Amino acid sequence: MKFIYTSVVLALLVTTSLSAQTFYNHTIPSGWENTDGNYSLPGSTPFNTPNQSRWQWTYGRETLTHQFPILITEIAFRRSSDATTAAATYQGVQIILASSTNASHTSVSPTFANNLGADMVTVFNGDVQIPAYTAAGVSPAPFNVRVPLQVPFAFDPSAGLDLVIDVSTLGPTPAAGGGFPLDGVFPNGFLSQNGHITDPTSPSRNWFNENAGPIIELTYVFGSAAHFNVIATTTGGGTGDLFFQFANVPATTTRAYSLICGTPVSLFGLELGTGPVFGVWFDPLVAFVISQPAAAGNPFHWTWPVSSPTFPAAPLILPPGSLVGVAGQTWEVAGVGVDASGEVTGVTPVTQLVW
């Protein structure tokens, strides 16, 4: 009876929580949401080469729809054309987001560090998965290389500076390359790119194009405060490892659910994060999670606050071989915080695990 009651309460809270925390997807540069780009190598790197490289893209602030403070929680890339792609992993990918250091993306410095403003943040440090994909005859290709940020980034387009996205592939990289040339545009007056095609540690570029770069999808919420977030990553390919943690847990939270779903919403024609229960689908795995009693360190239903090494103050790390039984499955994960009175304190964006 308690399980049924909890399920009903969570379902009733969905509408309130999602309306209080709306996530927006926006393509930069704007205007290319439904149109293939026209840009080719070397602008298609870093995920189409065995080389380690560094790319720094500066997007004009004018190309963002919302001209007020936003909190970026995820970035996504799409392939230059709809084509069947094998799974691949780029290890040691570092992504930095920053405001620019000058008022124009057309006057960037050849020295990478000189283009990163004082608000620069390393928002992701880990492996990026190129998922296996079967051509579906669509144009443009889907944004299916998605990178949930481990640290959300606050950006204010109205402050007069541009957005810098800095990606380094520090390796190892796939021996044959990732087979994922990025969709990009040239010429375009709202972006530019610096790059070093073979050395991500070089302080300066060996490639520059003032009016070119990739088409990227941003996911964000309104506001500038650090946002409740879930970080869940695995190497994929049946390795069976896991890194699992929550960041920026709302201060009034006393317990929280890790909504782990084994049924991706794409099976029902929905976009990631738009499922009926806090962005995920209600399946037997979610039912199991919400039936668990709250306990310190319980990865399904955890109490807060706690101190390291208790989860989630410290991450849950499972070594390779721990979860080989789920190889080939796609899971989706979200967190829901609750206060002492049972009110929802926050909901994370949904992240995806491809085992």
Side-chain angles (χ1 to χ4, degrees):
M1 185 69 180
K2 181 179 179 182
F3 161 69
I4 296 174
Y5 173 76
T6 303
S7 303
V8 171
V9 169
L10 279 173
L12 289 174
L13 287 171
V14 169
T15 302
T16 302
S17 65
L18 290 182
S19 62
Q21 193 174 74
T22 301
F23 293 89
Y24 296 87
N25 292 323
H26 179 60
T27 300
I28 54 173
S30 58
W32 294 89
E33 292 81 359
N34 301 307
T35 305
D36 263 329
N38 56 6
Y39 191 51
S40 58
L41 287 171
S44 63
T45 52
F47 302 127
N48 192 42
T49 175
N51 295 333
Q52 297 174 353
S53 61
R54 180 175 182 175
W55 292 92
Q56 190 177 77
W57 305 302
T58 304
Y59 293 85
R61 58 196 176 278
E62 308 92 338
T63 195
L64 274 81
T65 297
H66 298 112
Q67 292 291 306
F68 46 76
I70 61 173
L71 195 68
I72 301 170
T73 61
E74 183 180 56
I75 62 175
F77 304 91
R78 71 187 185 196
R79 201 179 188 281
S80 60
S81 62
D82 182 64
T84 297
T85 306
T89 301
Y90 277 81
Q91 300 179 48
V93 176
Q94 176 182 274
I95 301 177
I96 297 171
L97 265 59
S99 297
S100 62
T101 54
N102 57 61
S104 175
H105 60 279
T106 61
S107 55
V108 298
S109 168
T111 301
F112 293 120
N114 292 347
N115 300 313
L116 298 170
D119 62 351
M120 63 170 284
V121 175
T122 299
V123 296
F124 181 85
N125 207 330
D127 298 347
V128 169
Q129 309 292 332
I130 310 297
Y133 174 74
T134 301
V138 296
S139 179
F143 284 100
N144 61 349
V145 173
R146 310 197 69 87
V147 184
L149 304 187
Q150 296 162 346
V151 181
F153 179 71
F155 179 68
D156 184 2
S158 66
L161 297 173
D162 294 334
L163 176 65
V164 181
I165 300 177
D166 188 309
V167 178
S168 297
T169 54
L170 302 173
T173 60
F180 199 88
L182 300 186
D183 192 20
V185 289
F186 173 76
N188 186 280
F190 293 101
L191 75 162
S192 63
Q193 67 174 358
N194 274 336
H196 199 291
I197 299 173
T198 57
D199 184 3
T201 65
S202 173
S204 58
R205 69 192 184 203
N206 68 355
W207 175 267
F208 175 66
N209 194 318
E210 184 177 298
N211 296 297
I215 299 167
I216 290 178
E217 183 181 79
L218 302 178
T219 300
Y220 58 85
V221 294
F222 295 160
S224 58
H227 183 67
F228 186 26
N229 200 31
V230 58
I231 303 111
T233 61
T234 181
T235 302
T239 304
D241 59 338
L242 176 67
F243 180 96
F244 186 35
Q245 190 174 28
F246 287 88
N248 304 316
V249 180
T252 57
T253 300
T254 58
R255 58 190 178 90
Y257 294 92
S258 303
L259 294 185
I260 302 170
C261 176
T263 308
V265 296
S266 60
L267 295 177
F268 307 97
L270 301 177
E271 295 289 332
L272 182 69
T274 61
V277 179
F278 298 102
V280 302
W281 197 258
F282 189 85
D283 72 352
L285 192 51
V286 173
F288 167 78
V289 166
I290 63 177
S291 71
Q292 300 303 298
N298 182 345
F300 303 112
H301 189 185
W302 39 276
T303 57
W304 187 261
V306 294
S307 301
S308 183
T310 303
F311 177 85
L316 172 65
I317 301 175
L318 301 180
S322 299
L323 296 169
V324 292
V326 297
Q329 297 182 26
T330 298
W331 289 10
E332 294 177 353
V333 184
V336 181
V338 181
D339 67 15
S341 66
E343 294 291 325
V344 172
T345 60
V347 182
T348 72
V350 176
T351 191
Q352 193 172 77
L353 284 167
V354 180
W355 298 103

